[in-house]
Amino acid sequence: MTQSTDADRDSALKSRRRLLRDTGMIGGAAVAGALGASEAGAADTDNLPPNAPEWMKTPGDPMGSQPYGTPSPFEKNVVKNIPKNLKQYLSASARTPLQDLDGIITPNGLFYERHHGGVPSVDPAQHRLMLHGLVDRPLIFTMDDLRRFPSQSRIHFLECSGNPAYTKPFGKTASDLVGLLSCAEWTGVSLKLVLQEAGLQAGAKWVVAEGADAAALTRSIPIEKCLDDAMLAYSQNGERLRPQQGYPLRLLLPGFEGNMNVKWLRRLHVTAEPAYSREETSKYTDLMPDGTSREFTFYMEAKSIITKPSGGQRLTTPGFHEITGIAWSGHGKIKRVDVSVDDGKSWQEAQLQEPILTRALTRFRLPWHWDGQPAVIQSRAIDETGYVQPTLAELLGVRGENSFYHNNAIWPWRIASDGEVTNAAA
Amino acid sequence: MTQSTDADRDSALKSRRRLLRDTGMIGGAAVAGALGASEAGAADTDNLPPNAPEWMKTPGDPMGSQPYGTPSPFEKNVVKNIPKNLKQYLSASARTPLQDLDGIITPNGLFYERHHGGVPSVDPAQHRLMLHGLVDRPLIFTMDDLRRFPSQSRIHFLECSGNPAYTKPFGKTASDLVGLLSCAEWTGVSLKLVLQEAGLQAGAKWVVAEGADAAALTRSIPIEKCLDDAMLAYSQNGERLRPQQGYPLRLLLPGFEGNMNVKWLRRLHVTAEPAYSREETSKYTDLMPDGTSREFTFYMEAKSIITKPSGGQRLTTPGFHEITGIAWSGHGKIKRVDVSVDDGKSWQEAQLQEPILTRALTRFRLPWHWDGQPAVIQSRAIDETGYVQPTLAELLGVRGENSFYHNNAIWPWRIASDGEVTNAAA
């Protein structure tokens, strides 16, 4: 079945006999030394190209053997980062393995999870969204109703506000640290449009959103956000939402802390005052040094992390290594990412991957020649408002020792002389 | 566990007693008539909000019950479109269910498949890429070598060149017609950079790419494309390539016909002439009316299709319906998409979803009021070169009756008075 011609093969064999030199930057082995298999091996089967590996010698798996595909078995360790030995898993979280991912899109199978009452199995045919309160026309929508509205699609990140907490141990990997973070292309209906359909009344200042999970998770959203870029989302990376992300309907509030993006959304109550629900009083509120509470901390501030090299990885050799990571801001676009390879003494501007989208992950990269000496590397994000990602010390100086949420500190990685990468702030 | 306050509940109950009117555009039911469950039902459990569905009454599935997540069981019919009763599945194709998807990203589990010798199970630790021929330094790369190069991430579509063939039956759904089409965020290494590492010699005009499948699929790529935006891709939508898409390494040639984007890439042979392999002679070449062969038809021309409403779907009621679909061009960005709802007599400009990316799917939308009468709807794409997607009749007029590949014709859907949508050109 092969199309390799004799000329191809002759050329390949000749190339192995050439005197080769290694390359300056990264290399790849010179052909002569690295082919491994004997030349005789290539002649076992007339139709096979030189040194054909085992998997070329027999037909592969048939097309469509997986009606819904899954990753290669060789990637079986790339899974959600699930805490071991939790007391219970109903109010808990699972992290995205950021250090194993490229680009900005998180595949749906690895999207982070955070639940307060487990993952309900919601029948979309039975699911309803009620919109009531300070509106002219209270309404109840089926999923089919919502799918008939004009749609929109946008790429946005979602991040838990406790990502990570301020308390040690911070963890070993990028996932341990900030894996309550993912990014997807969302499709749904403009919440503004749906609110206009119902007719907002004077005095409508908040929308209290309620989920259809056993926790009936409830959060109050300022009306300004609801009339800006808020979305009633039913699809994620093309397909319908996954159960863990709110199937069949969730609220999407780009840039706002994760739990406000209420999953399994069943009710929107338009009110004059916030609900002061559990998730905005006993949780998701921080005690400040002066004894006051910092509440309604909606926006996720600018943040970044180097994912490669990062904790748990190892540089196998000195020489060229690309430093790459992700940056994001709840306030808009990432304007710049600086990277330091000398423990913060100096900073270089990283390259940002286009397109740079608002309230989405932005991939950054910096070429780096590692000299084999111990090093501390870190990144800091600057967003379009000019805000600069702070150090942990700076954050603690302002927020005190009792804050739990909204830790967006710079995170340094330590590289040992043997190439091992560890959390420099652990 | 709920945060619903008594005030919330009182308000909800009151809202159901209000006199409500339906809304002009889409509606959603008025609250009074549609809540369904009795008010008494809301009082069954003190902590539950009014009319709580069954899935709020018990805790849901525990967090992390799927270390690698899968879709909701309610979406079990959204799978790849796999031909029934094929003689064999080693050289065959499976289509993406475009009519069930939103946005532009195709989830990896639903990415289209086209194989010529089945899907090999390639061990990434054993896999090698050989680069040889008209280069100064023939090289062999491990996957680790390639991962050390500077990386890049871009969103691009991939499309089989026979999507669809010119021959009836064309099929019933958008997937049947053009489902050999998907779009993902790819990450990998610039092929230009790797070629520069090896050093191109004078006379290098083609790169012959060979896959490590049992078909040793082989295609010749013009050197100009290799030095432009070609990529050695190892990741797709964040995670490593799926086996069906070339794990652990594929060639990505944005805008070029699918099979040139050689999967399981093991060899790049730099040559002065093309290989004239099976896949560029007996396949992927078209017989023209004058008896000549149209060969090396690399670029996928501008194309579009309406995915909603589309064949196999049904409009349940007259009134507002959004028409939405996807457009793409191998030559660059989509400039405009026109939609006709009167069998091609008149055309309206659709709205394009930002960001509009080069050689990527672009989602388009047009608001439409269906009057309940039979209608034929269709879309035509115009790309940044000014090229306009042709009708099937126009294509056949140029290409004749023996062409098989590169059918980018406009595709009309017929809507019957009962709302049923069928293929108007079937």
Side-chain angles (χ1 to χ4, degrees):
Chain A
M1 278 184 282
T2 175
Q3 299 312 310
S4 286
T5 63
D6 289 347
D8 281 345
R9 186 179 305 173
D10 288 351
S11 173
L13 295 177
K14 274 180 207 149
S15 73
R16 293 161 57 191
R17 300 188 195 104
R18 295 174 61 173
L19 184 64
L20 304 165
R21 65 175 179 84
D22 206 329
T23 65
M25 188 168 136
I26 295 177
V31 167
L35 262 180
S38 70
E39 290 185 15
D44 287 346
T45 305
D46 276 355
N47 285 329
L48 284 172
N51 301 296
E54 285 306 312
W55 41 79
M56 294 186 78
K57 297 178 181 171
T58 54
D61 293 335
M63 181 278 301
S65 53
Q66 292 185 324
Y68 191 98
T70 57
S72 163
F74 290 102
E75 299 296 324
K76 65 178 188 295
N77 294 326
V78 180
V79 291
K80 295 176 200 167
N81 179 0
I82 299 171
K84 303 288 189 294
N85 306 318
L86 273 183
K87 287 180 187 165
Q88 53 77 24
Y89 286 80
L90 291 175
S91 178
S93 53
R95 291 169 161 77
T96 293
L98 298 171
Q99 66 278 3
D100 295 318
L101 300 184
D102 295 303
I104 63 167
I105 296 291
T106 309
N108 289 344
L110 297 173
F111 210 89
Y112 87 89
E113 300 184 37
R114 171 73 177 103
H115 316 303
H116 297 74
V119 180
S121 180
V122 179
D123 180 351
Q126 301 299 318
H127 187 69
R128 298 290 183 274
L129 172 66
M130 180 163 76
L131 170 55
H132 68 124
L134 297 174
V135 293
D136 295 333
R137 293 175 296 282
L139 292 168
I140 289 183
F141 300 98
T142 65
M143 286 307 302
D144 283 346
D145 291 336
L146 292 171
R147 295 269 307 164
R148 279 186 61 201
F149 273 90
S151 62
Q152 52 182 225
S153 300
R154 292 198 306 269
I155 294 174
H156 289 303
F157 77 84
L158 268 184
E159 184 186 15
C160 181
S161 55
N163 187 44
Y166 287 83
T167 47
K168 292 190 178 187
F170 292 113
K172 297 180 177 178
T173 68
S175 178
D176 291 344
L177 275 163
V178 294
L180 296 173
L181 167 77
S182 302
C183 185
E185 184 195 34
W186 308 92
T187 298
V189 183
S190 159
L191 176 55
K192 178 181 181 181
L193 187 63
V194 173
L195 291 173
Q196 288 174 333
E197 190 78 355
L200 285 179
Q201 295 183 339
K205 296 295 182 196
W206 295 81
V207 175
V208 180
E210 179 185 87
D213 56 335
L217 189 137
T218 299
R219 286 298 310 256
S220 310
I221 322 297
I223 196 72
E224 294 78 10
K225 183 68 173 178
C226 297
L227 298 176
D228 181 15
D229 60 354
M231 185 195 291
L232 302 175
Y234 45 72
S235 287
Q236 176 179 359
N237 290 336
E239 65 189 358
R240 298 295 181 270
L241 296 175
R242 295 291 176 87
Q244 293 79 7
Q245 277 77 53
Y247 181 87
L249 187 69
R250 81 175 303 164
L251 187 58
L252 189 77
L253 303 171
F256 275 26
E257 57 183 11
N259 77 93
M260 298 182 72
N261 297 258
V262 175
K263 297 185 283 193
W264 317 289
L265 183 69
R266 73 182 295 266
R267 193 149 70 104
L268 294 170
H269 187 199
V270 183
T271 62
E273 301 291 341
Y276 294 103
S277 72
R278 185 185 69 166
E279 266 67 46
E280 50 205 37
T281 51
S282 80
K283 301 285 180 189
Y284 305 108
T285 288
D286 287 308
L287 183 59
M288 298 296 281
D290 66 359
T292 62
S293 274
R294 186 167 168 260
E295 63 178 9
F296 297 125
T297 44
F298 306 131
Y299 282 100
M300 302 306 294
E301 299 283 2
K303 195 164 169 180
S304 68
I305 193 158
I306 293 171
T307 55
K308 185 180 170 211
S310 66
Q313 298 174 347
R314 182 182 288 270
L315 300 184
T316 54
T317 174
F320 180 85
H321 293 272
E322 181 177 75
I323 293 174
T324 182
I326 44 179
W328 63 101
S329 169
H331 283 291
K333 294 184 180 181
I334 289 295
K335 188 172 71 182
R336 201 177 86 216
V337 177
D338 297 329
V339 171
S340 170
V341 296
D342 58 5
D343 203 5
K345 288 190 270 296
S346 68
W347 297 82
Q348 303 172 66
E349 187 171 343
Q351 184 188 17
L352 304 184
Q353 174 73 58
E354 298 279 351
I356 300 168
L357 303 172
T358 192
R359 296 164 179 160
L361 295 190
T362 296
R363 174 66 56 177
F364 67 84
R365 301 183 175 98
L366 185 80
W368 181 44
H369 183 93
W370 180 47
D371 60 8
Q373 297 302 306
V376 172
I377 63 173
Q378 56 199 307
S379 62
R380 69 177 175 206
I382 298 98
D383 71 17
E384 63 180 323
T385 72
Y387 176 93
V388 181
Q389 182 182 4
T391 64
L392 183 58
E394 289 168 341
L395 264 187
L396 290 172
V398 175
R399 303 252 178 99
E401 298 295 327
N402 293 315
S403 272
F404 184 88
Y405 302 101
H406 292 273
N407 176 356
N408 65 322
I410 290 172
W411 221 272
W413 301 114
R414 184 180 309 281
I415 299 173
S417 55
D418 65 357
E420 188 182 2
V421 189
T422 54
N423 184 349
Chain B
M1 279 183 279
T2 175
Q3 300 311 312
S4 288
T5 63
D6 289 347
D8 281 346
R9 185 178 304 170
D10 288 351
S11 172
L13 296 175
K14 275 179 208 152
S15 74
R16 293 161 55 190
R17 300 185 195 106
R18 296 173 62 172
L19 184 63
L20 305 167
R21 64 176 180 81
D22 206 329
T23 65
M25 186 170 137
I26 296 178
V31 167
L35 262 180
S38 69
E39 291 185 15
D44 286 346
T45 305
D46 277 353
N47 286 329
L48 284 172
N51 301 295
E54 284 307 311
W55 42 79
M56 295 185 78
K57 296 177 181 172
T58 54
D61 292 335
M63 180 279 302
S65 53
Q66 291 184 324
Y68 192 97
T70 57
S72 163
F74 290 102
E75 300 296 324
K76 65 177 186 295
N77 294 327
V78 181
V79 291
K80 294 176 201 166
N81 179 359
I82 299 170
K84 304 287 189 294
N85 306 318
L86 272 184
K87 286 181 189 165
Q88 53 78 21
Y89 286 79
L90 291 176
S91 178
S93 53
R95 291 169 161 76
T96 293
L98 298 171
Q99 67 277 3
D100 296 318
L101 299 184
D102 296 303
I104 64 166
I105 297 290
T106 309
N108 290 345
L110 297 174
F111 209 90
Y112 88 88
E113 298 183 38
R114 170 73 177 103
H115 316 302
H116 297 75
V119 181
S121 179
V122 179
D123 180 349
Q126 300 299 319
H127 187 68
R128 298 290 183 275
L129 172 67
M130 180 162 75
L131 169 56
H132 67 125
L134 297 174
V135 293
D136 296 331
R137 294 175 294 282
L139 292 168
I140 289 182
F141 301 98
T142 65
M143 287 307 302
D144 284 345
D145 291 335
L146 293 170
R147 295 270 306 164
R148 279 186 62 201
F149 273 90
S151 61
Q152 53 182 223
S153 300
R154 293 197 308 269
I155 295 174
H156 289 301
F157 77 84
L158 268 184
E159 183 185 16
C160 181
S161 56
N163 187 43
Y166 288 83
T167 47
K168 292 189 179 188
F170 291 113
K172 296 180 177 179
T173 68
S175 177
D176 291 343
L177 274 163
V178 294
L180 295 172
L181 167 77
S182 303
C183 185
E185 184 195 34
W186 307 93
T187 298
V189 182
S190 159
L191 176 55
K192 177 181 181 181
L193 187 63
V194 173
L195 291 174
Q196 288 174 333
E197 190 77 355
L200 285 179
Q201 294 184 342
K205 296 296 181 194
W206 296 80
V207 175
V208 180
E210 178 186 86
D213 57 335
L217 188 136
T218 299
R219 285 299 310 256
S220 311
I221 323 298
I223 196 73
E224 294 78 9
K225 183 68 173 180
C226 298
L227 297 176
D228 181 14
D229 60 355
M231 185 193 293
L232 302 175
Y234 43 73
S235 286
Q236 176 180 0
N237 291 335
E239 65 189 0
R240 298 295 180 272
L241 296 175
R242 296 292 177 87
Q244 293 79 7
Q245 277 76 53
Y247 182 86
L249 187 70
R250 83 175 302 165
L251 188 57
L252 190 77
L253 303 171
F256 274 26
E257 57 183 11
N259 78 93
M260 298 181 73
N261 297 257
V262 175
K263 296 186 283 192
W264 316 290
L265 183 70
R266 73 181 296 266
R267 193 150 70 106
L268 294 170
H269 187 199
V270 182
T271 61
E273 301 291 340
Y276 293 104
S277 72
R278 184 184 70 168
E279 266 67 45
E280 51 204 37
T281 51
S282 80
K283 301 285 180 188
Y284 305 109
T285 288
D286 288 307
L287 184 59
M288 299 295 282
D290 66 359
T292 61
S293 273
R294 187 168 168 260
E295 64 178 9
F296 296 125
T297 45
F298 306 131
Y299 281 100
M300 302 307 294
E301 298 283 2
K303 195 164 172 181
S304 67
I305 193 158
I306 294 171
T307 55
K308 184 180 170 210
S310 67
Q313 299 174 347
R314 182 182 287 271
L315 301 183
T316 53
T317 174
F320 179 86
H321 292 272
E322 181 177 77
I323 292 174
T324 181
I326 43 179
W328 63 101
S329 169
H331 282 291
K333 294 183 180 182
I334 289 295
K335 188 172 71 182
R336 201 178 85 216
V337 177
D338 297 329
V339 171
S340 170
V341 296
D342 58 6
D343 204 5
K345 287 190 270 297
S346 68
W347 298 82
Q348 303 172 64
E349 187 171 342
Q351 183 188 15
L352 303 185
Q353 175 73 59
E354 299 279 349
I356 300 168
L357 303 172
T358 191
R359 296 165 179 159
L361 295 189
T362 296
R363 173 68 55 177
F364 67 86
R365 303 185 175 97
L366 185 81
W368 181 46
H369 184 93
W370 180 47
D371 60 9
Q373 297 301 307
V376 172
I377 63 174
Q378 56 199 306
S379 63
R380 69 178 175 206
I382 298 97
D383 71 17
E384 64 180 323
T385 72
Y387 176 93
V388 181
Q389 182 182 6
T391 64
L392 183 59
E394 289 169 343
L395 263 188
L396 290 172
V398 174
R399 304 251 178 99
E401 298 295 327
N402 293 315
S403 271
F404 183 88
Y405 301 101
H406 292 273
N407 175 356
N408 66 322
I410 291 172
W411 221 272
W413 302 114
R414 183 180 309 283
I415 299 173
S417 55
D418 66 357
E420 189 180 2
V421 188
T422 53
N423 184 350

